[in-house]
Each structure stands twice: as structure tokens, then as C-alpha cells.
Amino acid sequence: MSTERLRSVVGEGFPLSRRGFLGITAVTVAAATGCASTSVASRIEERHRDGILRIAVASAPSNINPLDSGSEVTRWIAEPVVETLYAYDDRQRSVPLLAAGEPEVSADGLTWRIPLRSGITFQNGDELTANDVVATLAHVNDLGSGSEWITYLLGYVQSYGADDAYTVRIELTKPYGLMRSHLTNLPIVHRDYAKRKDAMMGTGPFRLESFTPGQTFKMVAYDGYHGGKPDLTGIEYTVFQDGATRLISLRQGKVDLLTSVPYHNIGSVRANPDLHVDEVEGPNDILSYVAVMREPFSDPWFRKAVAAATDRHGVLSKVFGGAAVIGQGPIGPAEMGWDPDLQPYPDEPDLDHARELLDQATTERRDFTLTIGTNHTSRDMAQVLAAGWAKIGIDVTIQQLAGGPWSNKMLDRSYDMLMNVFQSGFTSGPANYMALAPAQSTSVLSCGFVNQEVDELMDTVWRTSDDEVRAASLRRINEILVEEAVMFPPVYPKIVVARLATVSPLNLDQLRISRVAPQNLSLVPGGTDE
Amino acid sequence: MTTVMSPTAAPVPARPASRPLVLRIVDVRRWPIHGVTNWFGVGCVVAFLLIATVGQLIGDPTLLDAPGAEPPSAEYWFGTDTLGRDVFARTAEGAWNSLTISLGTVLLSLSVAMPLGMLAGYHYNGRLDNAIMRGLETVQALPMFVFVMFVLTLTGTGTIEIGPVTFGMRTRLIVCLALGFVPFFARIVRAATLVEMQDDYVAMLQVLGVGRTRILLSEISVNVLPPMVVQACLAMAIAIFAEGGLSFLGFGLAPPEPTLGNLIADAGSQILEGAWWYATLPGAVMVLGILGFNLLGDALSDALLGGSEGGAE
Amino acid sequence: MSMLVAEGLEKHFRIDHGGWQKSSVLVRAVSEVSFAVERGEVMTIVGESGCGKSTVARMLVGLVEPTRGTIAVDGVELRPERTARDRRLIQLVAQNPWSAFNRRRTLGHSLAQPLLVNKVETDRRQRRARIEEMVERVGLSAAHLASRPSDVSGGELARAALARALLLSPKVLVLDEPTASLDASVKATVIDLLRELRADLDLSIVLITHEIDVARMIADRAAVMYLGRLVESGAAELVLRRPSHPYTRMLLDSVPDPDPDHRELAAAKGEVPSSAAAPHGCAYHPRCHLASDECGQERPELLQHAGVEVACHRILDVGMPLLMPGSLPEDRPEPAVAPDPPADCARDTPTVDLPHPQADVTDRLEVR
Ligand SMILES: Nc1ncnc2c1ncn2[C@@H]1O[C@H](COP(=O)(O)OP(=O)(O)OP(=O)(O)O)[C@@H](O)[C@H]1O
Ligand code: SF4
Ligand SMILES: [Mg+2]
């Protein structure tokens, strides 16, 4: 798993800014001076005359190169600007976008030829050619670039080049079925921009016009866009680190859309008639795994007891406000390999059963440390879980670590149990391969769990080009990991997006793979009727 | 300055000689606390201490009792938080945690700053003074909040073992916060020492043969301490606030341990949900502590530190 | 042999003006000051503010290290680093009794310090007894030991300060303006006490003051300082009543105020130059009505003249020493209404005994 990526993920919740600190004040003041809804409505109408959609996001990357990170932090901002060779249709199948058609794969599976559409231009007017794709591939395959994609490509991609202006050739070292997924998620940028960390240049319908690092990003519609002309004239992203402040600005009509609604505020969003909230199951996982190589989790009975005593319902209702699904194995309901029939754990913990399991454990230990990120959601979740485990006599110390120290802990395996929230839609669509990596004994992130069947299945997952086979393998991996109680996330959180009623509905099929796709939205003066 | 004067009893002051200090402190009638504000301050501190001690006997601060956030009721005086925990029990425990942290911070920083400041003041413009002042400036040049966060980010919220010594989060918080207060206190001590040094009595003591150490420890210190008690009470208030700020940013005690700061931090977003009690009641207790310690600082400075009385020494 | 001999005392202070140029000024606070005080004798040093009187006092007790010169008491030369033995030879009573004591310590504590640190009396009970004896001797009661400075009056504090200095039974006592901050009536009782102590203890006293009447009441000998130098010294009844030096005359001339409470030198005429830029030649020449060219070029030596030592080029032109106004008993008006002493003050001094200057003079003549 990419530690860079994790750093950025964990970093999201890291409220270093003073803004978070001032949040309370802002909330209080805002609440006190909150305007009547009629004036809010007229203010929105006034504001919408410019045709600009305003989006509030929780954080923004300092490096805005969309090739460097697959995290939603970066990609939600890059969405209207960059496009991929292939894209997911509404049934989450990969279909050509910048590519002119299906890739031509050699019989041995080692050579891929991708035809490009002609006449597509970047936002600076330059035509898209194979050279741009090659520059993109060069960047993400460069170990020194720090791109997250290296973890997916290293050891598989041997070389790449342009056969002609509209044909890209990729040579692989071994068959790599997952390549198609990568081509569907990896954005293609202008060759001169592939290495830049302070600019974006893609073929999408909007061009990044200006930005203040970490604060605002302004996009304007690109007239030369190859697809349908967007309704919006522009899109503006503003960062509000504090969840409550973010929500207030939506309520007051200062922004139109909120990408990550704080789970602990979900109740008031749902209750507000001026807002629409979309809650969909998506590749949004609670990474949660235990150090199997060390006591107490080396003892399967201890693991199973902990898994059985996990207060899933408490987390679902108290932390996620119901916007989640009870967790079982590592693979969630929106991900490939999900097994709806595999329900070993009840909603409410079965404490008697958990105690029986614990009685069989050989380890003497009745305590462990739960290492989480610094975000509010993780903290609440850890407290609910710890209270649940305390009921069977297990004493849990909660350790909150910021991004860097958290991933160091993961890499040097000095944790007992790790937890964090991780979204993978922009790297693997309807799947989360990275969440499974610690279960593979050969992975650098291995948690010490050694199971030959899992190792082989994992290999198949990455190698096969047959989605059926991949799904079946994932299902089996999930089953084993649940059985062995190596990974047992308490819930699968939903992706929650809120918007004003005067914004057209989101494509929920795209939201299921993390895509908000604001470029396809429009402003509806009277409000939508849903 | 408020002092007990008994004009009719002069020239023989009516004070009983050599009563133990503890008794003198406990004897409320001797506290020269005048006026409503001072007694109000004492009242605030007492209420705060009661909540932090006796209050802890009521309810369980970590039990997920209720199904979610509930308004105050007979069962839950301060209501419950989103996780269904008794906010009163958490406030009481939080008050205790905030109190121990801020008290520890102030005592630790004072015990470092007093000798440093007095030495610097005594050697005013000397080499030792310069060395100490440069050191303090270096510490002060660090943006304190950022520095504390840096240290705590590196170390996380768990316990750290250095050899046989275990540094819990509480200890680390205290050390970090205390470090921030040391330059502040040391400067005041130095300035106060300087003022004392100019005073004739120090020269007289030198002429009489009283040595440097003795002058510092038994003469100047009793004059430097009273202003420091006032400052310490003020600093207590700041420390409660600073701990709150760090908790707010996730650098306080590890959850589920409550502090007033992280209670209010957690509650912030809940105001939107209409859960007013969640932030306001712990907030009121925090205000009680901050206000109380400030007012108490004013009131007690003279009461406790009149210097040793009676007898020949 | 004299009890106290000060020989060629000099003190220069260097004052840094900071800044990046690091300029500094040399203040010659005291230059070439020599005097001797006999056993049981009171010598007074008078002069305007800033002339270096306190600096002399501080050098005498070791608070300031002399730039040059020596100090000897009872034949023992004192080094700047004083030993316990040195401290039992010479002690100081500072100008302001209010600031002479630690305000947060009881008088008992403060009075115990000299005995404690010099290991004069290590037994607690004996120390206590000795302190009580001393406070009673200066007219206080043992009960005062439990009070703090703010709880007692200025007169009582002045007495306590005396007691503290005397606890080490010094042979020489230096009093730097002991009465400057006291009320007139209290002042008189303190001076009475001093006289008494001098007689009882055979004390040698260096009395620094700018109150001429106080000096006249008690001094046997007097020295006049101007800008760090002695300009006249000799028997008090000569120097303070029939002055020779033009400066001394001006000084005493400027004491016409019939109210003895205000008989001070503050009203001396003319601007006093700073000791950082003392004029060439006779430092007094810019203010002297007799000044000649020589006065501005060459510094006059202290020379014997008419029974006193005087530093003036034109001493022969000065004329016969005059009897200064206010220096004879009949010139001195009694205060119309005796100021009401505070209640506790009256208690201190059951008999308010205003000094009689005439008796004073005869008294002193007898001693001689
Ligand atoms: N520590 C010092 N550093 C620098 N200059 C000093 C110091 N002490 C005294 N002086 C200077 O030396 C000169 C004599 O000062 P001193 O205090 O001895 O005068 P004084 O005759 O006692 O005056 P006063 O009647 O005001 O007490 C003054 O000009 C004073 O500014
Ligand atoms: S020497 Fe000259 S200036 Fe100095 S006092 Fe005598 S006459 Fe005056
Ligand atoms: Mg003086």
C-alpha cells in the first residue's frame, strides 16, 4: 500500500490549521446570526446568476498533480479538469473515453496497444497525442516522482512508448489483468504538465484558472471540450477544514455542495428541507487490521473474541448516524467480491459468545493498543469500540497519531490494531485492493498473517483479466479473513454528499465509485423536485 | 496591599506567634479577602474543585449508557453526548484532568522559573544572566503551540517508555505546557528580583554579612513569591485554556479520557444538531475554573505570603 | 591612633551609554578623600545632593569597592571583601528606615540575621535575649520583634535599624542621612538616642547628612564635600558655624529658613555641575563670586588655615570667618507650636527632649 497515499489520507483529518480551532466560534457566531431562509433563497438565486457551482471540501493537497495521488482529496478537485483513457459507465464497466476503443492485447498478455481518439484537445489547445500518455506513464512509473501509482505498476510495467501519434504501447513483465482498472482510473495530463506539482492541464470540460494553495480553486468552462458543453460556467472549490463550518456555509447558501458531510452532523442535514443528502455505499473502507505476528493478536481465539465483541451497531448509530452498513469482512457492499450472505457477526455484540472464545485463548494478555488517525470520526469510533471490548474484560488504550507517525507505525509494524478511514474509488473503482494488502504475507505491509491460499488468490486478483474470476477470488479472500478474524471493520461507511435543492441531482451510480462529477451538474433556479 | 492592621493593639501586634502555616491558611477569618468579587472567586474555585472531586463519584464517564445525545434530565444532569455518555460524569472527570494538568504545569514551570529568574536577576547583566536570558529567548522564539503540537505529534497520545520511566500523555502535556510557561515566569521573577536588588534592605543585608544564597532564598524569595502566586493563578487559567486548545486539536489526553477542552471540542459540531447542553455545561465549568483561579490569585496573594512571622527568625 | 582612617579614597564609575558605538562616561564620584575619626568622636560629612557622600559611606562599609585608597579601622586595614571580623568593626545605618528592612519579614527575623550569619550567637535562646536587650536599649519593646516594617512607625524603624547595626557591636558606625525621612520631633529623639549611644558605647560615628542643624547638634568634627572632593574640614563649631571656604559659606548662607525642619541645603544657589564633567581647577569656580583666573586653571590644595583645612586659592581674601545666621542659640526660634507626635511616637519617647545647641557645644568642649 502506498504510504504516501495513507499519509495524505490520514493527514486529511489532521486539523493543524487554526481554522479548526476557530470553528466553534464560527459555528456560534453563524448560528447566532443565521439568516432567515427567505433571504438565503434570494441570496442563492443572486449568486447563481454567474453560473458557477461552489463546492466545499474538507481539505486540499499542497501538491495538486492529479498523477501523484489517487485520494479523493486530490481527485475531487481534479475531476472536472482531467480525464482517463477509459471510464466507468453507470454499471461500473470500463468503457473507452480518451481511448478510441478496446486495448489490443497480445496473446501472451504482455503487450497492450491502446488506440487514442483524434481531435481531442487539452485546455491550452494542444491536441492529445500518444506522447502525452507516454509522459503520463513515465511520471507514474518513475520511482522518484513520489506518485502513488508506482505501487500498482512497479514490477509489472516494463516499458511504454508511442507506436504512432494515436497509439500507445505498454509492455508488461507478466500478465496483469488489473492494468485495465488502472487505465480506467489514471488521469491523462498534458506532457508538459506531467511533472508539475503546481498546475493541472487535462482534456476535461473545465480548466483550472487560478488557485490559492490549500484554500480555493477556480475552474472555468473550456470551450474546446470534446464532449457535450457543460451547463456551468465555472466551478469553485473552497476548503473548510472544520466540519461544522463547512455545513454552516452550505446551510447559508454560500456553497452549493458538500463532498464530505461530517457523519456526526448527518442528522441535521437530513432534517433540513433546503438540502438534499445522498448517501451511497461506496469503496469507503475502515482499514482495520491486527498484528498477527505478536501477542495478543497472534492468538486466533483472542482475535475472534475481539471480533465478536465489536460493537458494530454502536459505531453505526452513534458514530456514523446510520450512514453505514454493519461490517463483516474487509470487502464492503459496494466492492468487488462482496458476499451478502456472509454474515458471521450480529449487529449487537454477542458478549457471551465472545467470552467463550476468550476463555479458549492461550494468551494471557487482556489488553492492546488501538492506533487511529487524528480525525473526529476515528476518535469516536475508537471510543465506542473500546467501551464494547471493555465489556469482555479487554482493556484498550487509544493512541491517536497524525499522518506521518501513523504510517510509520504501520510500516514498522509496531501496532497492535490499526484503524483509519480510506476511500479507494479513484484508484480502483468499485474495489479496494489496497485494504487487503496487509493480509498478503509477501507485502511490505504484511500484518504477519500467513495463509498460502490468500497469497495465491491475491496473485490471481492482480493477474487475471477476467472480472468473474477476480470477484470470486476476492470473495474467498474475504471469507478467509473473516474466518480468521484478521480484518473486521466495524462498519462500511457510506459516501455522503449534501447539496442545495437548487443543484441538479448527482449521478449516484458514479458516486458509488467516489465520482461526484460536478462538471455534469447544473443549477436549477426553482429547485429540483425529488 | 491589604494587610491586617489592628491600630488599637499597637505597638504589640496581636498576632499569635509561630502558628503553623497550614493552620493560618485554613483559618478563613484570617484571609484578607474583601468584597464580593473576591469571595465570588473563592466560590468559583470551591465549586470547581467540588465538581472535580466529589462530582467524580457520580456516574461513569466512559459508559455508553444512552442511545445517543439526550438533553439534561434527572438521570443525566448535564445530558449525554453523541456516544451516549453521561456529560456530567465526563465534565467532573474532565475538570479533574484539567485541574491536575494545569496545576502540574504551573508547579513544574514555577519550580524551574523561580531559581532561573532569581539567579538571572541577582546576576543582572552578568554572564549567568545573559546565558539564562538567551536560553529563555530561544524557548520563547519557538511558536509554543506549534512546538507542543510538534512534540505531541511525534510522540502520539500513547505512553512512552524511556528506560524505566514511563511518560504518560499527562506527563508529556504537563512538560510541554510547562516549558511554554517557564520564560514567562522566569522573566517576571527576574524583574521582581531586580526590583528587590535595588532595595536598600539587600545592601544592608550584605553589609551585615548575609551571603548571596541566603539573601536569595530567605529574603528576596518571600518578596518575589507573592506576585508569582497571582501569576500562577492566572497561569492556571491559561493552562486550563491551553490544554483545552490542545485537546480541541486532538493533542490532549488520549480518548476516552475527558478533559474540559476535548469535551467542548467534541461538542462544537453538536451545537448544529441542537445539543446545546453538550458544549455549554462543560464550558460553564471551564469558565468557573478560569474565572475562579484568576480572582483567587488576586485574593490570596497577600493572605498566604506574609512571610514568616513571630519569633526572632 | 585614630579609630577610622580613610586615606585617599577615590571612586570612579564608568557609565556605558549602550548603543552600537559603546560610548561611556567616567563619573568621578569621589576623589582624594582622606579623613580620620577618633574613638568616641562624631564626624559629619555635609554637602549638596550628588556630591559623593553616600559613595564614601558605601566604600567605608564595603558595599562599593574603592578605585583607589585605603580604609583602616582600629589599625586594621579593611579589604573590599569584608570578613565577619571586619563587619564587627564598622557598620552602616542606611538613609531610609522604610526600605532598610525586608517588608515581608518580621523585625525579629531581620535583627537575628547579623548574629546568625556572623556566628556571633548561635544559641537561639541567647540570641533572642541579646536582641531583646538591644531593642530595649534603643527604646523599643520585645513585642516589636513580631511585627513587620509596615506595622511600625518610622521612628521605631530608625531605632530598629540602629539596633541591628549595633548588634554586631561595631567600633565605627556610619549613618547615611539617618534622619532625613523622619518628622522633626522623631528626628530629635533619634539624635538624642545617638548621643546616648555614643557616650555609652564609646562609638565612633560618621554622620552623613545634608541637614546642617542635625550636624550641628551632634558633630565634633565636620567635613564639607563638593563634587567628590573635600573643600573644608575641621572642628564642627568652626566649619559649621564660622566657615572659611566660599562654598561652605554659601551652603550655610542658604539656611535662612527659620523653620528648623526645613533647614537644609537644597536651596543652595546656582546649578551644581555634574560629577561626570567637573570643571577644571577649583570645581566651585563657576559659582564662586571670588573666582580668579587661577581658580579656573589650578586645583587648590587642602591647606591649614585658621584652625581648619581649606582648599581655596583666595582663602586670604575671604576675610575673617563670620558667624553664620542661625548658628547661635538665640538666633534659633523655637517652633511656635510643637507638632503633635503620633500616639505611638509619644509612647516611644516619654520625654520629648528637644536638643539644646548651647549645651551641645559645651558638652562637646568638655569631651575634648
Ligand atoms: N553605582 C553608581 N554608578 C554610577 N554612578 C554612580 C553610582 N553611585 C553614585 N553614582 C554617582 O556618583 C555621584 C555621587 O553619588 P552619591 O550617591 O554618593 O551622592 P550623595 O552625595 O550621596 O547624594 P544624595 O545627597 O543625593 O544622596 C553622583 O553623581 C551619582 O550619580
Ligand atoms: S579656589 Fe577660587 S573658585 Fe575655588 S573657592 Fe576659592 S576662590 Fe572660589
Ligand atoms: Mg546619598
Side-chain angles (χ1 to χ4, degrees):
Chain A
M1 185 180 307
S2 154
T3 56
E4 270 312 310
R5 166 67 184 283
L6 272 169
R7 245 180 257 266
S8 72
V9 171
V10 179
E12 259 171 70
F14 185 64
L16 237 174
S17 149
R18 212 213 223 115
R19 245 168 287 150
F21 192 65
L22 296 176
I24 256 187
T25 330
V27 171
T28 323
V29 171
T33 59
C35 304
S37 65
T38 47
S39 69
V40 169
S42 61
R43 169 154 16 112
I44 294 168
E45 209 179 307
E46 179 70 21
R47 183 168 62 71
H48 278 178
R49 293 220 175 105
D50 60 10
I52 295 174
L53 179 78
R54 286 176 174 82
I55 302 178
V57 291
S59 60
S62 49
N63 166 12
I64 62 164
N65 189 336
L67 299 182
D68 284 352
S69 170
S71 85
E72 66 281 8
V73 174
T74 305
R75 293 288 293 275
W76 270 337
I77 287 168
E79 252 189 302
V81 180
V82 293
E83 291 177 317
T84 47
L85 290 173
Y86 297 90
Y88 292 103
D89 69 6
D90 289 349
R91 290 165 66 191
Q92 293 167 9
R93 291 170 308 194
S94 174
V95 295
L97 177 59
L98 297 177
E102 287 298 303
E104 181 192 306
V105 183
S106 66
D108 58 5
L110 297 183
T111 305
W112 289 46
R113 283 201 170 73
I114 303 146
L116 295 185
R117 284 165 63 184
S118 61
I120 289 179
T121 55
F122 284 101
Q123 292 130 12
N124 63 357
D126 291 353
E127 199 196 355
L128 167 77
T129 67
N131 287 334
D132 299 298
V133 181
V134 168
T136 296
L137 287 171
H139 181 75
V140 296
N141 277 288
D142 175 6
L143 264 177
S145 73
S147 167
E148 175 183 346
W149 287 96
I150 193 77
T151 48
Y152 293 91
L153 304 173
L154 189 67
Y156 288 101
V157 174
Q158 187 166 43
S159 65
Y160 38 81
D163 275 0
D164 58 59
Y166 301 106
T167 311
V168 178
R169 178 181 34 80
I170 302 173
E171 306 273 2
L172 301 173
T173 55
K174 48 193 168 192
Y176 190 26
L178 217 51
M179 194 67 199
R180 178 59 184 263
S181 160
H182 301 336
L183 296 176
T184 316
N185 288 288
L186 173 69
I188 302 301
V189 305
H190 188 281
R191 56 191 166 280
D192 295 341
Y193 288 77
K195 291 198 177 314
R196 289 182 62 168
K197 299 191 186 303
D198 61 344
M200 280 186 219
M201 181 61 71
T203 55
F206 288 84
R207 168 173 62 82
L208 175 64
E209 192 191 46
S210 65
F211 71 103
T212 314
Q215 289 176 26
T216 52
F217 298 81
K218 289 182 178 164
M219 324 287 181
V220 293
Y222 169 49
D223 291 337
Y225 181 56
H226 58 89
K229 188 176 155 51
D231 282 350
L232 300 170
T233 61
I235 300 174
E236 209 175 291
Y237 294 87
T238 311
V239 178
F240 294 95
Q241 285 189 335
D242 178 66
T245 318
R246 199 153 70 231
L247 204 50
I248 287 281
S249 53
L250 181 71
R251 274 193 184 176
Q252 297 194 328
K254 288 177 182 157
V255 296
D256 301 301
L257 195 145
L258 209 64
T259 52
S260 16
V261 176
Y263 289 107
H264 45 264
N265 287 125
I266 214 159
S268 64
V269 183
R270 284 184 188 131
N272 191 326
D274 299 329
L275 305 180
H276 280 301
V277 54
D278 295 310
E279 303 170 39
V280 300
E281 292 162 2
N284 192 20
D285 290 287
I286 294 172
L287 283 188
S288 133
Y289 53 94
V290 295
V292 176
M293 64 280 179
R294 216 181 16 253
E295 274 201 280
F297 287 110
S298 52
D299 189 321
W301 296 108
F302 186 89
R303 294 202 299 267
K304 285 173 187 169
V306 169
T310 297
D311 186 2
R312 294 173 176 81
H313 180 260
V315 172
L316 173 70
S317 65
K318 289 176 172 172
V319 181
F320 289 95
V325 174
I326 291 291
Q328 306 288 344
I331 294 177
E335 292 165 355
M336 195 181 278
W338 161 249
D339 186 349
D341 301 327
L342 185 69
Q343 302 278 352
Y345 302 116
D347 290 13
E348 302 276 1
D350 184 346
L351 295 177
D352 290 333
H353 179 52
R355 286 192 196 99
E356 277 167 31
L357 292 168
L358 197 58
D359 285 343
Q360 297 182 62
T362 51
T363 178
E364 297 289 308
R365 291 268 303 270
R366 290 296 179 269
D367 66 288
F368 65 89
T369 299
L370 170 59
T371 304
I372 57 173
T374 50
N375 55 73
H376 197 145
T377 305
S378 291
R379 186 163 73 239
D380 278 355
M381 185 164 63
Q383 294 184 90
V384 171
L385 292 174
W389 291 324
K391 287 184 182 157
I392 59 163
I394 295 177
D395 181 27
V396 179
T397 305
I398 299 169
Q399 182 182 41
Q400 273 201 287
L401 291 181
W406 191 93
S407 35
N408 288 343
K409 209 125 193 127
M410 173 181 67
L411 284 174
D412 62 24
R413 293 173 221 186
S414 52
Y415 54 86
D416 289 337
M417 181 190 274
L418 273 182
M419 231 176 234
N420 222 327
V421 189
F422 186 86
Q423 207 173 125
S424 59
F426 283 108
T427 46
S428 42
N432 192 348
Y433 307 112
M434 279 304 160
L436 301 173
Q440 196 171 13
S441 64
T442 50
S443 164
V444 285
L445 298 175
S446 163
C447 65
F449 178 69
V450 185
N451 180 305
Q452 211 189 330
E453 192 186 352
V454 169
D455 285 354
E456 281 166 9
L457 287 166
M458 215 71 126
D459 232 41
T460 307
V461 166
W462 285 56
R463 196 187 57 245
T464 184
S465 8
D466 185 338
D467 275 353
E468 289 298 315
V469 173
R470 179 174 296 119
S473 305
L474 286 167
R475 202 172 298 126
R476 176 67 189 138
I477 291 172
N478 188 44
E479 196 180 356
I480 294 171
L481 293 179
V482 171
E483 217 164 82
E484 294 282 342
V486 177
M487 295 181 180
F488 41 89
V491 296
Y492 309 113
K494 291 181 178 175
I495 295 174
V496 184
V497 176
R499 67 190 150 88
L500 297 179
T502 47
V503 174
S504 65
L506 266 61
N507 181 339
L508 298 185
D509 291 319
Q510 291 293 322
L511 193 58
R512 271 185 198 103
I513 45 168
S514 302
R515 270 77 167 168
V516 176
Q519 65 271 24
N520 298 332
L521 297 179
S522 48
L523 302 172
V524 191
T528 55
D529 228 14
E530 276 173 280
Chain B
M1 199 171 65
T2 29
T3 30
V4 180
M5 290 276 263
S6 39
T8 48
V12 187
R15 292 191 193 179
S18 59
R19 275 179 69 204
L21 182 69
V22 184
L23 279 184
R24 271 183 280 128
I25 294 173
V26 169
D27 190 350
V28 174
R29 286 163 306 163
R30 300 204 154 272
W31 291 10
I33 295 173
H34 307 297
V36 182
T37 38
N38 285 352
W39 281 112
F40 180 67
V42 173
C44 285
V45 170
V46 168
F48 183 81
L49 293 180
L50 275 178
I51 291 172
T53 52
V54 181
Q56 278 196 77
L57 305 173
I58 302 160
D60 180 332
T62 53
L63 194 66
L64 310 183
D65 223 5
E70 284 180 6
S73 62
E75 195 181 358
Y76 307 111
W77 301 347
F78 281 16
T80 61
D81 67 8
T82 40
L83 303 187
R85 295 174 296 194
D86 183 349
V87 174
F88 181 79
R90 288 184 70 72
T91 305
E93 177 110 358
W96 173 254
N97 284 333
S98 295
L99 179 73
T100 51
I101 289 172
S102 50
L103 196 64
T105 299
V106 166
L107 290 182
L108 180 64
S109 51
L110 262 186
S111 62
V112 176
M114 281 286 291
L116 279 183
M118 283 178 47
L119 273 178
Y122 198 88
H123 293 272
Y124 176 63
N125 260 344
R127 242 195 281 163
L128 190 59
D129 179 33
N130 284 335
I132 291 174
M133 291 316 285
R134 288 305 88 73
L136 293 178
E137 274 161 23
T138 313
V139 174
Q140 242 177 350
L142 296 169
M144 217 45 224
F145 229 64
V146 176
F147 171 77
V148 172
M149 286 199 293
F150 175 73
V151 171
L152 298 180
T153 304
L154 283 187
T155 57
T157 52
T159 53
I160 292 182
E161 276 143 49
I162 299 174
V165 202
T166 322
F167 287 95
M169 194 56 202
R170 196 179 299 253
T171 325
R172 263 177 296 153
L173 258 179
I174 289 176
V175 171
C176 285
L177 286 172
L179 190 67
F181 278 113
V182 164
F184 168 71
F185 280 147
R187 275 169 192 280
I188 303 175
V189 173
R190 177 175 176 267
T193 306
L194 264 176
V195 169
E196 293 300 316
M197 295 290 299
Q198 316 287 317
D199 214 325
D200 279 353
Y201 79 86
V202 173
M204 288 311 300
L205 288 166
Q206 285 171 341
V207 172
L208 290 165
V210 183
R212 165 195 304 170
T213 323
R214 204 184 166 91
I215 291 182
L216 274 181
L217 292 186
S218 95
E219 305 286 343
I220 292 184
S221 64
V222 295
N223 288 314
V224 170
L225 214 52
M228 294 318 290
V229 170
V230 183
Q231 293 297 332
C233 283
L234 190 79
M236 280 279 290
I238 299 174
I240 288 178
F241 197 71
E243 187 283 324
L246 285 172
S247 284
F248 194 103
L249 300 179
F251 295 94
L253 294 188
E257 198 75 66
T259 67
L260 291 178
N262 66 29
L263 276 173
I264 294 165
D266 282 354
S269 54
Q270 291 308 307
I271 294 176
L272 282 182
E273 306 297 300
W276 57 270
W277 63 89
Y278 194 173
T280 45
L281 296 177
V285 172
M286 187 163 170
V287 168
L288 209 61
I290 292 175
L291 198 69
F293 281 111
N294 263 320
L295 296 176
L296 186 72
D298 288 344
L300 283 193
S301 66
D302 285 309
L304 299 188
L305 293 146
S308 75
E309 290 176 55
E313 262 99 308
Chain C
M1 191 179 55
S2 302
M3 179 53 75
L4 167 68
V5 179
E7 197 53 59
L9 284 184
E10 291 204 24
K11 182 62 199 179
H12 300 168
F13 292 107
R14 186 164 290 282
I15 298 179
D16 289 326
H17 281 287
W20 55 275
Q21 282 180 313
K22 288 273 171 209
S23 63
S24 73
V25 173
L26 194 65
V27 178
R28 295 171 202 274
V30 174
S31 302
E32 295 173 43
V33 167
S34 304
F35 58 86
V37 185
E38 303 303 323
R39 182 181 300 266
E41 190 181 47
V42 176
M43 187 184 108
T44 184
I45 300 178
V46 297
E48 285 167 290
S49 189
C51 71
K53 305 184 299 289
S54 292
T55 307
V56 170
R58 293 165 77 82
M59 282 193 282
L60 290 178
V61 296
L63 269 177
V64 164
E65 188 179 339
T67 309
R68 219 167 284 130
T70 58
I71 297 158
V73 177
D74 207 7
V76 182
E77 188 176 330
L78 306 183
R79 324 236 88 247
E81 275 300 322
R82 299 290 160 101
T83 64
R85 186 206 54 183
D86 297 343
R87 289 192 280 271
R88 302 190 61 174
L89 290 174
I90 185 162
Q91 270 301 324
L92 174 73
V93 175
Q95 183 161 355
N96 184 353
W98 304 102
S99 67
F101 289 94
N102 190 339
R103 62 191 176 283
R104 289 191 194 269
R105 287 298 197 180
T106 60
L107 293 179
H109 168 93
S110 292
L111 262 64
Q113 297 307 304
L115 298 179
L116 256 177
V117 298
N118 294 299
K119 303 203 168 47
V120 176
E121 199 62 83
T122 43
D123 179 71
R124 191 188 163 94
R125 200 155 321 130
Q126 284 179 7
R127 189 160 63 226
R128 175 86 190 179
R130 194 156 162 177
I131 292 170
E132 284 179 4
E133 187 196 341
M134 184 55 80
V135 292
E136 273 156 25
R137 165 161 228 156
V138 298
L140 300 175
S141 76
H144 283 101
L145 294 176
S147 17
R148 272 182 275 148
S150 54
D151 297 337
V152 300
S153 70
E156 288 168 323
L157 274 182
R159 286 157 191 272
L162 257 170
R164 179 169 63 176
L166 292 174
L167 272 170
L168 287 177
S169 7
K171 298 192 165 162
V172 180
L173 196 57
V174 182
L175 299 152
D176 189 359
E177 322 236 14
T179 55
S181 49
L182 299 179
D183 289 342
S185 54
V186 182
K187 196 179 286 187
T189 64
V190 169
I191 287 178
D192 253 9
L193 173 65
L194 269 179
R195 271 208 292 241
E196 211 174 281
L197 290 170
R198 184 218 357 192
D200 290 0
L201 304 174
D202 211 10
L203 266 179
S204 302
I205 292 177
V206 177
L207 172 72
I208 286 165
T209 185
H210 53 241
E211 295 163 299
I212 295 293
D213 56 334
V214 167
R216 280 175 183 158
M217 278 184 226
I218 189 170
D220 304 314
R221 295 205 304 116
V224 182
M225 280 185 80
Y226 185 71
L227 282 184
R229 288 174 184 277
L230 291 184
V231 293
E232 179 168 2
S233 80
E237 82 269 20
L238 294 177
V239 176
L240 298 182
R241 295 179 200 274
R242 291 182 169 80
S244 301
H245 196 278
Y247 171 65
T248 319
R249 291 188 171 193
M250 190 273 287
L251 207 56
L252 299 190
D253 220 9
S254 62
V255 195
D257 193 331
D259 179 357
D261 293 356
H262 294 114
R263 194 156 294 170
E264 297 186 356
L265 306 182
K269 299 172 194 99
E271 280 281 304
V272 186
S274 142
S275 44
H280 260 287
C282 175
Y284 186 55
H285 83 260
R287 294 166 77 190
C288 183
H289 64 285
L290 291 173
S292 64
D293 287 355
E294 189 192 11
C295 298
Q297 280 150 22
E298 205 155 317
R299 193 169 50 231
E301 301 276 312
L302 262 180
L303 294 172
Q304 205 66 41
H305 170 82
V308 293
E309 288 193 328
V310 187
C312 174
H313 290 301
R314 305 196 53 192
I315 190 65
L316 297 174
D317 306 330
V318 171
M320 277 307 287
L322 296 167
L323 195 63
M324 299 304 292
S327 60
L328 281 184
E330 53 271 27
D331 295 344
R332 188 164 185 265
E334 289 291 322
V337 184
D340 265 348
D344 54 335
C345 201
R347 183 206 63 246
D348 288 11
T349 53
T351 52
V352 179
D353 183 4
L354 284 175
H356 199 284
Q358 191 56 60
D360 183 17
V361 172
T362 40
D363 202 328
R364 194 181 61 247
L365 289 173
E366 274 164 22
V367 169
R368 282 216 137 178

